[in-house]
Amino acid sequence: MPATRTGADTVTALLATADDLLTEGLDGDGPLTPAGRDRGAAYALRIALEAAVEAALTAEEAGLGGLRSMRAKLLCLHHYAGPGRARRAHALWNRLSAACKYHHDELGPPHAQVHAWRAAVGVLVTELSACGTAVEFPQQRGSENPLPAEASPR
């Protein structure tokens, strides 16, 4: 369990970093511009979300902590955290990833949007750390007896 504890500490530190970037220096003094602070907060939030997903998969001891691709981890999260949480995590991760990319001809993420993402990541991190049991896969139609009648044990 040390990996999970470290993951929780990392997530907490990243959320605190995002909070600092969103609240400090709003008057424009300092080396970072407001747009730079917002983009930096988006980076911290995305990494916090990635760490929370990693911790949730590692806590399940399913051998999924070694997955390298975040997309693969988000797909696996459907089983361990439920489809609703996994969809929210995937959508939030996609938005944060887009916000982290710098294009010289595009504006960065708006300050209010990054604040909304901060709230959403905070809720999702709490939910992911609280869910400790795997969600069962729904039964597929017609799969009550997967064996043909002649192969069924008697």
Side-chain angles (χ1 to χ4, degrees):
M1 289 247 204
T4 305
R5 184 70 236 158
T6 303
D9 292 342
T10 301
V11 170
T12 302
L14 287 164
L15 293 177
T17 299
D19 290 339
D20 289 346
L21 286 168
L22 290 172
T23 56
E24 288 182 11
L26 293 178
D27 54 6
D29 291 342
L32 290 177
T33 65
R37 288 183 170 282
D38 292 336
R39 193 175 308 274
Y43 269 108
L45 292 172
R46 186 184 81 181
I47 297 168
L49 180 60
E50 290 173 353
V53 169
E54 176 80 19
L57 292 177
T58 302
E60 292 298 329
E61 298 178 10
L64 299 174
L67 291 174
R68 294 182 188 260
S69 165
M70 187 60 186
R71 293 188 192 279
K73 291 175 187 177
L74 289 168
L75 286 172
C76 293
L77 195 62
H78 278 265
H79 175 68
Y80 293 101
R85 280 189 196 109
R87 276 192 295 272
R88 287 185 5 241
H90 197 174
L92 191 54
W93 183 79
N94 280 334
R95 289 183 187 119
L96 288 167
S97 292
C100 291
K101 298 203 174 20
Y102 175 78
H103 300 284
H104 69 280
D105 58 344
E106 293 180 7
L107 296 174
H111 188 72
Q113 182 63 62
V114 180
H115 265 287
W117 288 334
R118 167 56 181 98
V121 169
V123 168
L124 204 49
V125 163
T126 302
E127 290 176 3
L128 287 175
S129 65
C131 67
T133 59
V135 177
E136 294 298 321
F137 285 117
Q139 288 291 341
Q140 293 180 352
R141 191 176 301 165
S143 66
E144 291 76 31
N145 187 2
L147 298 174
E150 61 274 358
S152 293
R154 298 191 203 277

PDB file of all heavy atoms in Angstrom, residues 135-154:
ATOM      1  N   VAL A 135     -16.622  -2.835  -9.901  1.00  0.00           N
ATOM      2  CA  VAL A 135     -18.006  -2.808 -10.352  1.00  0.00           C
ATOM      3  C   VAL A 135     -18.187  -3.995 -11.285  1.00  0.00           C
ATOM      4  O   VAL A 135     -17.341  -4.260 -12.139  1.00  0.00           O
ATOM      5  CB  VAL A 135     -18.292  -1.484 -11.096  1.00  0.00           C
ATOM      6  CG1 VAL A 135     -19.696  -1.464 -11.647  1.00  0.00           C
ATOM      7  CG2 VAL A 135     -18.059  -0.317 -10.161  1.00  0.00           C
ATOM      8  N   GLU A 136     -19.265  -4.728 -11.104  1.00  0.00           N
ATOM      9  CA  GLU A 136     -19.493  -5.907 -11.937  1.00  0.00           C
ATOM     10  C   GLU A 136     -19.852  -5.497 -13.361  1.00  0.00           C
ATOM     11  O   GLU A 136     -20.537  -4.505 -13.579  1.00  0.00           O
ATOM     12  CB  GLU A 136     -20.633  -6.750 -11.355  1.00  0.00           C
ATOM     13  CG  GLU A 136     -20.301  -7.365 -10.012  1.00  0.00           C
ATOM     14  CD  GLU A 136     -19.140  -8.327 -10.076  1.00  0.00           C
ATOM     15  OE1 GLU A 136     -19.042  -9.083 -11.061  1.00  0.00           O
ATOM     16  OE2 GLU A 136     -18.330  -8.330  -9.148  1.00  0.00           O
ATOM     17  N   PHE A 137     -19.385  -6.294 -14.313  1.00  0.00           N
ATOM     18  CA  PHE A 137     -19.778  -6.062 -15.687  1.00  0.00           C
ATOM     19  C   PHE A 137     -21.236  -6.446 -15.852  1.00  0.00           C
ATOM     20  O   PHE A 137     -21.695  -7.436 -15.275  1.00  0.00           O
ATOM     21  CB  PHE A 137     -18.946  -6.919 -16.651  1.00  0.00           C
ATOM     22  CG  PHE A 137     -17.549  -6.412 -16.836  1.00  0.00           C
ATOM     23  CD1 PHE A 137     -16.477  -7.176 -16.449  1.00  0.00           C
ATOM     24  CD2 PHE A 137     -17.306  -5.177 -17.400  1.00  0.00           C
ATOM     25  CE1 PHE A 137     -15.183  -6.731 -16.627  1.00  0.00           C
ATOM     26  CE2 PHE A 137     -16.021  -4.713 -17.582  1.00  0.00           C
ATOM     27  CZ  PHE A 137     -14.963  -5.497 -17.190  1.00  0.00           C
ATOM     28  N   PRO A 138     -22.003  -5.684 -16.641  1.00  0.00           N
ATOM     29  CA  PRO A 138     -23.398  -6.065 -16.863  1.00  0.00           C
ATOM     30  C   PRO A 138     -23.462  -7.353 -17.683  1.00  0.00           C
ATOM     31  O   PRO A 138     -22.609  -7.614 -18.521  1.00  0.00           O
ATOM     32  CB  PRO A 138     -23.976  -4.887 -17.649  1.00  0.00           C
ATOM     33  CG  PRO A 138     -22.801  -4.177 -18.219  1.00  0.00           C
ATOM     34  CD  PRO A 138     -21.631  -4.477 -17.329  1.00  0.00           C
ATOM     35  N   GLN A 139     -24.465  -8.164 -17.394  1.00  0.00           N
ATOM     36  CA  GLN A 139     -24.641  -9.404 -18.134  1.00  0.00           C
ATOM     37  C   GLN A 139     -25.057  -9.097 -19.564  1.00  0.00           C
ATOM     38  O   GLN A 139     -25.860  -8.217 -19.807  1.00  0.00           O
ATOM     39  CB  GLN A 139     -25.728 -10.279 -17.480  1.00  0.00           C
ATOM     40  CG  GLN A 139     -25.296 -10.896 -16.188  1.00  0.00           C
ATOM     41  CD  GLN A 139     -24.227 -11.956 -16.391  1.00  0.00           C
ATOM     42  OE1 GLN A 139     -24.039 -12.472 -17.483  1.00  0.00           O
ATOM     43  NE2 GLN A 139     -23.516 -12.267 -15.332  1.00  0.00           N
ATOM     44  N   GLN A 140     -24.478  -9.825 -20.492  1.00  0.00           N
ATOM     45  CA  GLN A 140     -24.868  -9.656 -21.878  1.00  0.00           C
ATOM     46  C   GLN A 140     -26.144 -10.437 -22.118  1.00  0.00           C
ATOM     47  O   GLN A 140     -26.403 -11.461 -21.497  1.00  0.00           O
ATOM     48  CB  GLN A 140     -23.773 -10.163 -22.802  1.00  0.00           C
ATOM     49  CG  GLN A 140     -22.525  -9.318 -22.709  1.00  0.00           C
ATOM     50  CD  GLN A 140     -21.447  -9.838 -23.637  1.00  0.00           C
ATOM     51  OE1 GLN A 140     -21.578 -10.894 -24.236  1.00  0.00           O
ATOM     52  NE2 GLN A 140     -20.380  -9.083 -23.757  1.00  0.00           N
ATOM     53  N   ARG A 141     -26.938  -9.928 -23.034  1.00  0.00           N
ATOM     54  CA  ARG A 141     -28.202 -10.577 -23.364  1.00  0.00           C
ATOM     55  C   ARG A 141     -27.932 -11.975 -23.903  1.00  0.00           C
ATOM     56  O   ARG A 141     -27.062 -12.180 -24.732  1.00  0.00           O
ATOM     57  CB  ARG A 141     -28.940  -9.759 -24.425  1.00  0.00           C
ATOM     58  CG  ARG A 141     -30.367 -10.218 -24.615  1.00  0.00           C
ATOM     59  CD  ARG A 141     -31.099  -9.346 -25.585  1.00  0.00           C
ATOM     60  NE  ARG A 141     -31.069  -7.970 -25.075  1.00  0.00           N
ATOM     61  CZ  ARG A 141     -31.357  -6.911 -25.803  1.00  0.00           C
ATOM     62  NH1 ARG A 141     -31.673  -7.045 -27.059  1.00  0.00           N
ATOM     63  NH2 ARG A 141     -31.323  -5.712 -25.294  1.00  0.00           N
ATOM     64  N   GLY A 142     -28.650 -12.944 -23.381  1.00  0.00           N
ATOM     65  CA  GLY A 142     -28.530 -14.317 -23.849  1.00  0.00           C
ATOM     66  C   GLY A 142     -27.345 -15.063 -23.266  1.00  0.00           C
ATOM     67  O   GLY A 142     -26.991 -16.126 -23.753  1.00  0.00           O
ATOM     68  N   SER A 143     -26.710 -14.533 -22.230  1.00  0.00           N
ATOM     69  CA  SER A 143     -25.526 -15.213 -21.692  1.00  0.00           C
ATOM     70  C   SER A 143     -25.828 -15.917 -20.374  1.00  0.00           C
ATOM     71  O   SER A 143     -24.930 -16.196 -19.609  1.00  0.00           O
ATOM     72  CB  SER A 143     -24.395 -14.201 -21.490  1.00  0.00           C
ATOM     73  OG  SER A 143     -24.751 -13.281 -20.482  1.00  0.00           O
ATOM     74  N   GLU A 144     -27.106 -16.218 -20.105  1.00  0.00           N
ATOM     75  CA  GLU A 144     -27.443 -16.900 -18.856  1.00  0.00           C
ATOM     76  C   GLU A 144     -26.790 -18.271 -18.789  1.00  0.00           C
ATOM     77  O   GLU A 144     -26.330 -18.703 -17.759  1.00  0.00           O
ATOM     78  CB  GLU A 144     -28.965 -17.070 -18.709  1.00  0.00           C
ATOM     79  CG  GLU A 144     -29.725 -15.774 -18.480  1.00  0.00           C
ATOM     80  CD  GLU A 144     -29.869 -14.949 -19.751  1.00  0.00           C
ATOM     81  OE1 GLU A 144     -29.938 -15.521 -20.843  1.00  0.00           O
ATOM     82  OE2 GLU A 144     -29.881 -13.716 -19.639  1.00  0.00           O
ATOM     83  N   ASN A 145     -26.756 -18.996 -19.913  1.00  0.00           N
ATOM     84  CA  ASN A 145     -26.116 -20.294 -19.967  1.00  0.00           C
ATOM     85  C   ASN A 145     -25.159 -20.269 -21.148  1.00  0.00           C
ATOM     86  O   ASN A 145     -25.551 -20.511 -22.279  1.00  0.00           O
ATOM     87  CB  ASN A 145     -27.160 -21.401 -20.133  1.00  0.00           C
ATOM     88  CG  ASN A 145     -26.528 -22.774 -20.025  1.00  0.00           C
ATOM     89  OD1 ASN A 145     -25.333 -22.889 -19.793  1.00  0.00           O
ATOM     90  ND2 ASN A 145     -27.326 -23.806 -20.196  1.00  0.00           N
ATOM     91  N   PRO A 146     -23.893 -19.981 -20.911  1.00  0.00           N
ATOM     92  CA  PRO A 146     -22.950 -19.836 -22.013  1.00  0.00           C
ATOM     93  C   PRO A 146     -22.625 -21.143 -22.737  1.00  0.00           C
ATOM     94  O   PRO A 146     -22.126 -21.124 -23.819  1.00  0.00           O
ATOM     95  CB  PRO A 146     -21.700 -19.252 -21.355  1.00  0.00           C
ATOM     96  CG  PRO A 146     -21.804 -19.647 -19.930  1.00  0.00           C
ATOM     97  CD  PRO A 146     -23.263 -19.743 -19.621  1.00  0.00           C
ATOM     98  N   LEU A 147     -22.904 -22.293 -22.104  1.00  0.00           N
ATOM     99  CA  LEU A 147     -22.602 -23.584 -22.728  1.00  0.00           C
ATOM    100  C   LEU A 147     -23.812 -24.065 -23.529  1.00  0.00           C
ATOM    101  O   LEU A 147     -24.952 -23.894 -23.116  1.00  0.00           O
ATOM    102  CB  LEU A 147     -22.275 -24.617 -21.664  1.00  0.00           C
ATOM    103  CG  LEU A 147     -21.043 -24.330 -20.788  1.00  0.00           C
ATOM    104  CD1 LEU A 147     -20.931 -25.379 -19.689  1.00  0.00           C
ATOM    105  CD2 LEU A 147     -19.801 -24.314 -21.638  1.00  0.00           C
ATOM    106  N   PRO A 148     -23.582 -24.690 -24.667  1.00  0.00           N
ATOM    107  CA  PRO A 148     -24.696 -25.284 -25.418  1.00  0.00           C
ATOM    108  C   PRO A 148     -25.356 -26.381 -24.583  1.00  0.00           C
ATOM    109  O   PRO A 148     -24.750 -26.952 -23.689  1.00  0.00           O
ATOM    110  CB  PRO A 148     -24.040 -25.867 -26.676  1.00  0.00           C
ATOM    111  CG  PRO A 148     -22.623 -25.401 -26.691  1.00  0.00           C
ATOM    112  CD  PRO A 148     -22.311 -24.848 -25.346  1.00  0.00           C
ATOM    113  N   ALA A 149     -26.582 -26.686 -24.901  1.00  0.00           N
ATOM    114  CA  ALA A 149     -27.373 -27.649 -24.119  1.00  0.00           C
ATOM    115  C   ALA A 149     -26.675 -29.000 -24.014  1.00  0.00           C
ATOM    116  O   ALA A 149     -26.701 -29.606 -22.936  1.00  0.00           O
ATOM    117  CB  ALA A 149     -28.756 -27.812 -24.758  1.00  0.00           C
ATOM    118  N   GLU A 150     -26.059 -29.502 -25.069  1.00  0.00           N
ATOM    119  CA  GLU A 150     -25.422 -30.808 -25.008  1.00  0.00           C
ATOM    120  C   GLU A 150     -24.127 -30.772 -24.196  1.00  0.00           C
ATOM    121  O   GLU A 150     -23.654 -31.804 -23.738  1.00  0.00           O
ATOM    122  CB  GLU A 150     -25.147 -31.373 -26.413  1.00  0.00           C
ATOM    123  CG  GLU A 150     -24.219 -30.541 -27.275  1.00  0.00           C
ATOM    124  CD  GLU A 150     -24.938 -29.441 -28.037  1.00  0.00           C
ATOM    125  OE1 GLU A 150     -26.154 -29.307 -27.967  1.00  0.00           O
ATOM    126  OE2 GLU A 150     -24.238 -28.692 -28.732  1.00  0.00           O
ATOM    127  N   ALA A 151     -23.532 -29.590 -23.995  1.00  0.00           N
ATOM    128  CA  ALA A 151     -22.289 -29.498 -23.228  1.00  0.00           C
ATOM    129  C   ALA A 151     -22.535 -29.138 -21.765  1.00  0.00           C
ATOM    130  O   ALA A 151     -21.595 -29.097 -20.986  1.00  0.00           O
ATOM    131  CB  ALA A 151     -21.379 -28.450 -23.853  1.00  0.00           C
ATOM    132  N   SER A 152     -23.780 -28.893 -21.401  1.00  0.00           N
ATOM    133  CA  SER A 152     -24.092 -28.477 -20.012  1.00  0.00           C
ATOM    134  C   SER A 152     -23.850 -29.630 -19.058  1.00  0.00           C
ATOM    135  O   SER A 152     -24.173 -30.777 -19.360  1.00  0.00           O
ATOM    136  CB  SER A 152     -25.562 -28.066 -19.884  1.00  0.00           C
ATOM    137  OG  SER A 152     -25.786 -26.912 -20.623  1.00  0.00           O
ATOM    138  N   PRO A 153     -23.242 -29.321 -17.898  1.00  0.00           N
ATOM    139  CA  PRO A 153     -23.043 -30.389 -16.911  1.00  0.00           C
ATOM    140  C   PRO A 153     -24.397 -30.802 -16.331  1.00  0.00           C
ATOM    141  O   PRO A 153     -25.284 -29.990 -16.189  1.00  0.00           O
ATOM    142  CB  PRO A 153     -22.158 -29.738 -15.849  1.00  0.00           C
ATOM    143  CG  PRO A 153     -22.263 -28.275 -16.071  1.00  0.00           C
ATOM    144  CD  PRO A 153     -22.704 -28.060 -17.474  1.00  0.00           C
ATOM    145  N   ARG A 154     -24.525 -32.065 -16.008  1.00  0.00           N
ATOM    146  CA  ARG A 154     -25.820 -32.568 -15.497  1.00  0.00           C
ATOM    147  C   ARG A 154     -25.740 -32.819 -14.035  1.00  0.00           C
ATOM    148  O   ARG A 154     -24.882 -33.169 -13.415  1.00  0.00           O
ATOM    149  CB  ARG A 154     -26.208 -33.846 -16.224  1.00  0.00           C
ATOM    150  CG  ARG A 154     -26.384 -33.522 -17.697  1.00  0.00           C
ATOM    151  CD  ARG A 154     -27.022 -34.706 -18.400  1.00  0.00           C
ATOM    152  NE  ARG A 154     -26.742 -34.704 -19.798  1.00  0.00           N
ATOM    153  CZ  ARG A 154     -27.407 -34.013 -20.707  1.00  0.00           C
ATOM    154  NH1 ARG A 154     -28.381 -33.258 -20.345  1.00  0.00           N
ATOM    155  NH2 ARG A 154     -27.109 -34.103 -21.953  1.00  0.00           N
TER     156      ARG A 154
END
